[in-house]
Amino acid sequence: MVAAMEVEPFHPELDDVLRLGCFLMSLYAGSKLFSLLRVPALVGEIGVGVIWLVSGCLPEYLNRGLQVMGKLGLLVIVFEGGVGMDLAELRSNGVRAFVLGFMGMVLPIAVVGATLLLLGYPLIESTASGIVLSSTAIGFIMQLMSEAGMVATPMGRLVVSAAMIDDVLSIMLLSVLTALGSSGEVGGVGVWPIVRPLVVSVGILVACLVVRATIGKAMQTARTCCTQRRLLSHLPTSLSRRSDTSCVEVDARPTSVATVKPSIFGYPEGACEEQVRQTAKVASTVTEVPAGVTWMNSVNIAILLSMGLGLALSWGAEALHSTYLLGAFMAGMVASAWPSFPSAWEHKTSQLLSWLVKIFFACSVGFQVPVEALLRARFRDVALLTVAAVIGKFASGLWAAPMCTRGCTKSMVQVGLAMVGRGEIGFLVAGASLRSGLLTEESHSATVWALMLATLLGPIMFQASLRLNGEDK
């Protein structure tokens, strides 16, 4: 027992510390350089990650540790997306977001699969490649919208919602791929393993929305009651003797103050206007959140609790065979029940999030690129598959806005190009498909090339589309 507890302490070598410092410096420089060139910074960050991967300069333990930090960065990005989500807009555009996410999954499978069939590949192999290229990376979407300043816009929320739905549907397709790899035929795939991610995801969504509504209502009631008490304590003695707090009408929104109807404080008809003005003046001095409710002003506690909720929901969603990203996203939505949380979150975490995002794209994406597989591909297959992958996602933008409406063309183009970017999930699924025999080395190489090129070209094309001006029809 004593021998087991005697673990030799780890002392990092100075060379490793210097390598890590050089990596972070190059990551920052690459990000800023591409920003100056008017290219999305995430493209430079991925490029830096690929260069360091090829060079092999980082030791394995640093490589793995940075990928863990990158995955944490992805969770934080998705959590922030949930914080900025407008529930009213989600209710009004939820059907459109679902259709957009669904078509963003189906069209790439159809276009990529048809392309590989024309190139002579078998049906199962063509379908597997289409599934690999069907996912939209919500981390990419969040960063694209953030760099463009569109996270809080209707288009940004629509694309983020569609990407989350796309991610849930991709988990279902991954279940199909896993079953196909084990059984070797479509008939061997059970129904429950396929629909379970969707059922669990809907359950998590409904439960979190109910919790958010409950918390929001409780906080609003607490603010209203305490504001009424404080208001009455500031009123003249002749008025404060009244115990009926129904005479105070309080608007509990964050930017408003309590409003008093002076006539219902017992003033007779035709009361002196000076008394009415005095009461209104007292009401205007009442702060939004009473000092008695000190816990509501504790930003650090709110952020700590919300982060804990995000980790718990991420673990729960993954354990229940949904996607852990949905758990992080819904935790952000629950946290936004506190009206002051979005601004507090941005103020406290902006610098940390900036570095976590950089590490995510460099390590969790750049380090996942299978460089050896890229050397085995045929140019014709790569070119056609890349075009098919881009067209399949771009075409989903047709469902971004009603046809023949003002500005619909611009919205369709921008949303379609925003959906083109893939992420690290695609590389992981591609590797799993190769190991299970669903993809051969040739189709795997072409698929990886298409993944990488779409990942790099998507953000560039989206940023170029933002220059579209005018009143497009």
Side-chain angles (χ1 to χ4, degrees):
M1 183 66 178
V2 176
M5 296 178 59
E6 293 179 355
V7 179
E8 183 178 354
F10 172 74
H11 298 287
E13 298 291 338
L14 178 60
D15 289 345
D16 293 344
V17 176
L18 297 178
R19 289 192 184 98
L20 178 60
C22 290
F23 169 75
L24 295 177
M25 290 175 60
S26 63
L27 179 57
Y28 183 83
S31 176
K32 293 302 180 183
L33 175 62
F34 274 72
S35 296
L36 292 175
L37 296 175
R38 296 185 176 275
V39 178
L42 62 89
V43 176
E45 293 157 6
I46 294 173
V48 170
V50 173
I51 292 173
W52 279 85
L53 173 67
V54 174
S55 67
C57 293
L58 288 176
E60 184 65 21
Y61 77 93
L62 276 182
N63 190 319
R64 293 178 180 273
L66 288 170
Q67 290 188 55
V68 172
M69 289 185 64
K71 187 61 68 71
L72 177 61
L74 176 60
L75 287 175
V76 176
I77 296 172
V78 176
F79 177 88
E80 188 172 34
V83 171
M85 184 57 59
D86 188 330
L87 287 183
E89 190 170 321
L90 181 62
R91 283 192 293 268
S92 61
N93 293 327
V95 175
R96 185 174 300 279
F98 179 83
V99 173
L100 179 60
F102 180 77
M103 298 308 298
M105 177 195 70
V106 172
L107 290 178
I109 296 176
V111 177
V112 170
T115 301
L116 286 182
L117 284 174
L118 292 175
L119 291 174
Y121 288 91
L123 176 60
I124 293 294
E125 194 171 349
S126 303
T127 304
S129 179
I131 291 176
V132 170
L133 290 168
S134 67
S135 62
T136 297
I138 189 172
F140 271 69
I141 294 295
M142 283 300 308
Q143 188 61 15
L144 277 180
M145 296 297 111
S146 178
E147 290 185 4
M150 299 174 65
V151 174
T153 63
M155 179 187 295
R157 295 189 182 107
L158 174 66
V159 177
V160 169
S161 301
M164 180 56 66
I165 293 170
D166 187 289
D167 192 76
V168 173
L169 297 176
S170 297
I171 296 297
M172 294 178 60
L173 293 179
L174 180 59
S175 302
V176 176
L177 273 180
T178 303
L180 284 175
S182 59
S183 65
E185 56 182 9
V186 179
V189 181
V191 176
W192 175 241
I194 296 176
V195 301
R196 177 171 52 188
L198 180 61
V199 173
V200 171
S201 299
V202 172
I204 294 174
L205 175 65
V206 173
C208 289
L209 289 178
V210 171
V211 171
R212 186 193 185 280
T214 303
I215 294 176
K217 185 176 181 180
M219 295 184 72
Q220 181 177 356
T221 302
R223 279 198 302 270
T224 302
C225 294
C226 293
T227 303
Q228 288 174 344
R229 294 192 184 97
R230 189 175 183 187
L231 175 60
L232 292 175
S233 68
H234 284 75
L235 291 176
T237 307
S238 60
L239 299 180
S240 61
R241 284 196 293 262
R242 295 190 52 168
S243 60
D244 182 11
T245 59
S246 63
C247 58
V248 184
E249 292 184 356
V250 179
D251 185 351
R253 291 176 297 178
T255 58
S256 64
V257 295
T259 303
V260 180
K261 279 187 176 180
S263 61
I264 63 177
F265 273 102
Y267 291 127
E269 289 294 332
C272 176
E273 294 183 2
E274 181 61 31
Q275 291 177 304
V276 175
R277 283 196 296 270
Q278 180 183 1
T279 306
K281 182 178 180 181
V282 171
S284 66
T285 63
V286 179
T287 56
E288 169 204 343
V289 179
V293 194
T294 55
W295 62 270
M296 297 175 71
N297 291 321
S298 181
V299 175
N300 294 329
I301 293 179
I303 292 179
L304 179 64
L305 292 176
S306 63
M307 291 178 64
L309 178 63
L311 295 175
L313 286 180
S314 299
W315 174 82
E318 183 77 6
L320 294 173
H321 302 278
S322 179
T323 168
Y324 63 93
L325 297 178
L326 178 63
F329 187 82
M330 295 310 300
M333 291 189 66
V334 172
S336 65
W338 180 31
S340 302
F341 186 84
S343 58
W345 170 263
E346 182 179 1
H347 174 69
K348 291 286 187 177
T349 64
S350 57
Q351 293 297 324
L352 173 63
L353 181 60
S354 174
W355 274 104
L356 287 177
V357 168
K358 290 180 174 61
I359 294 174
F360 163 69
F361 286 111
C363 304
S364 295
V365 179
F367 286 3
Q368 295 294 333
V369 176
V371 179
E372 295 182 0
L374 300 178
L375 304 177
R376 299 192 296 263
R378 294 182 296 188
F379 176 78
R380 181 197 63 176
D381 295 357
V382 171
L384 293 177
L385 201 58
T386 301
V387 172
V390 172
I391 291 176
K393 281 293 186 183
F394 177 71
S396 65
L398 293 173
W399 285 266
M403 299 292 292
C404 302
T405 57
R406 189 182 187 89
C408 66
T409 302
K410 182 170 69 174
S411 297
M412 291 175 180
V413 170
Q414 291 178 349
V415 171
L417 292 177
M419 298 285 286
V420 168
R422 271 65 166 188
E424 84 288 354
I425 295 177
F427 295 108
L428 297 176
V429 176
S433 301
L434 176 65
R435 290 189 295 271
S436 63
L438 295 173
L439 292 177
T440 62
E441 289 192 359
E442 288 185 355
S443 60
H444 174 255
S445 299
T447 301
V448 169
W449 265 109
L451 269 173
M452 187 180 71
L453 292 176
T455 298
L456 298 177
L457 293 176
I460 297 175
M461 293 188 295
F462 172 73
Q463 192 170 77
S465 73
L466 296 180
R467 302 189 182 98
L468 291 175
N469 295 317
E471 304 298 334
D472 296 337
K473 298 288 185 181

